[in-house]
Amino acid sequence: MAESNVVGEKKDEMFNEFYTEVKEIEKRDSVLTPKQQIERLLRPGSTYFNLNPFEVLQVEPETPLDEVKKKYRRFSILVHPDKNQDDADRAQQAFEIINRAWKTLESDETRQKCMDVIEEAKGRTDLMLADKRKKAKKDGKEGIPEDDPEKYKHAIYVLTMKLFADMERKKRELAVRDQEERKRKREKEIEEEENIKAEKEWQKNFEESRQNRVNSWHTFQAGGSKSGKSTKKIKTFKPPKPKPESR
């Protein structure tokens, strides 16, 4: 148990370091260069962040859709493969990430799902911090680190990323189950088709063999009666009687 807690704390520490580094890059230059944008979207560990479309496009969840669209266009131009021919493959990957994020937020349905994740993260964070405040008060401490607005925002951000990761994992598991179910269904259909084919083949062979047996029986009967009609009584050979000698 203690070992798992240490591992969990180490993961949280690594995440916090990565988060801090990303935010420092964003603050350093609000208009990142194409190279910086590509690096931001493809750096090690970025897959985790890229699950959140708001993070990809660097907009707040409350940002109006027309403003999100402007940000999307700006980033898509920056990372477009045609504009980065010296790094076209990575630029293409970054371009696809930007497009996927925009399509997610452009759709009312998928954007609402993302907003639900944000709201859940806020609600769960508030409950967690309420318990943390009670514990701190019981221990005679004044306040908690998350009373700082920046740290509170960070706590929500961390939980938001975890919820997006959980949603992606469930999505993939559902896709795998669906694929397996469709595979089993197809295999069953093929088995049923083969059984029907085998049954038809057996029925066909049975009918043919039955007809052959009937024909053989008729032939046998016809041959037997013809043989009976043409049968003649065979005379046995009798030697002549010897004649008496005349004297």
Side-chain angles (χ1 to χ4, degrees):
M1 183 70 178
E3 185 178 351
S4 62
N5 288 337
V6 171
V7 173
E9 289 174 2
K10 190 173 182 180
K11 285 184 177 179
D12 288 341
E13 184 179 345
M14 291 173 63
F15 178 85
N16 289 337
E17 289 177 0
F18 185 52
Y19 169 84
T20 303
E21 188 177 351
V22 169
K23 291 305 173 184
E24 284 177 356
I25 292 172
E26 291 175 1
K27 289 178 181 178
R28 188 176 63 208
D29 191 351
S30 59
V31 183
L32 296 175
T33 65
K35 185 177 180 180
Q36 287 173 316
Q37 278 291 349
I38 293 171
E39 182 63 26
R40 177 180 73 88
L41 294 167
L42 299 180
R43 63 186 298 156
S46 59
T47 302
Y48 187 62
F49 286 85
N50 293 341
L51 294 173
N52 183 347
F54 299 110
E55 175 67 19
V56 172
L57 297 177
Q58 296 184 327
V59 294
E60 295 296 328
E62 301 80 15
T63 305
L65 189 59
D66 58 340
E67 292 299 319
V68 176
K69 190 172 184 178
K70 289 178 183 178
K71 203 73 175 286
Y72 154 69
R73 286 178 173 173
R74 185 166 132 208
F75 283 158
S76 62
I77 291 172
L78 282 173
V79 303
H80 198 284
D82 291 346
K83 303 286 185 180
N84 299 274
Q85 295 186 8
D86 58 332
D87 196 9
D89 290 341
R90 297 178 81 243
Q92 180 64 37
Q93 294 178 51
F95 184 72
E96 289 172 1
I97 292 169
I98 293 291
N99 275 334
R100 186 161 57 247
W102 165 244
K103 287 180 180 178
T104 300
L105 296 182
E106 182 185 27
S107 165
D108 291 338
E109 182 181 354
T110 51
R111 182 172 186 173
Q112 185 57 52
K113 288 181 180 179
C114 293
M115 292 301 296
D116 291 342
V117 170
I118 301 293
E119 291 302 316
E120 183 180 352
K122 286 181 179 178
R124 288 173 59 173
T125 299
D126 288 342
L127 289 174
M128 178 185 68
L129 295 183
D131 290 338
K132 194 172 180 179
R133 286 189 183 94
K134 287 180 182 178
K135 189 174 183 303
K137 187 176 182 181
K138 186 177 180 181
D139 294 341
K141 298 177 181 178
E142 293 185 4
I144 57 176
E146 289 80 7
D147 287 335
D148 182 330
E150 202 58 39
K151 291 184 178 179
Y152 171 66
K153 185 178 180 181
H154 172 63
I156 293 175
Y157 180 88
V158 171
L159 186 53
T160 298
M161 301 310 296
K162 289 180 178 178
L163 291 178
F164 271 113
D166 287 342
M167 186 169 69
E168 180 66 16
R169 177 179 53 78
K170 291 176 183 178
K171 180 182 176 182
R172 291 182 181 182
E173 288 175 353
L174 184 62
V176 170
R177 286 200 300 269
D178 181 62
Q179 185 178 5
E180 290 175 349
E181 181 62 28
R182 284 188 281 111
K183 183 181 177 181
R184 283 195 296 268
K185 185 178 179 181
R186 183 54 188 154
E187 287 175 349
K188 186 176 180 181
E189 289 174 351
I190 292 173
E191 183 180 358
E192 289 175 352
E193 289 171 1
E194 289 177 348
N195 289 339
I196 292 172
K197 183 179 178 181
E199 177 67 21
K200 288 182 177 179
E201 189 68 24
W202 183 90
Q203 192 67 31
K204 179 183 177 183
N205 293 337
F206 176 79
E207 291 295 329
E208 289 178 353
S209 62
R210 186 177 71 86
Q211 189 61 45
N212 289 337
R213 290 195 301 273
V214 171
N215 292 341
S216 297
W217 175 248
H218 288 165
T219 302
F220 173 76
Q221 285 186 320
S225 61
K226 181 178 180 182
S227 174
K229 289 180 182 178
S230 61
T231 302
K232 295 182 180 179
K233 187 176 181 180
I234 302 174
K235 295 180 180 181
T236 58
F237 174 75
K238 292 182 180 181
K241 293 179 179 181
K243 291 182 181 182
E245 295 182 1
S246 56
R247 294 181 178 180

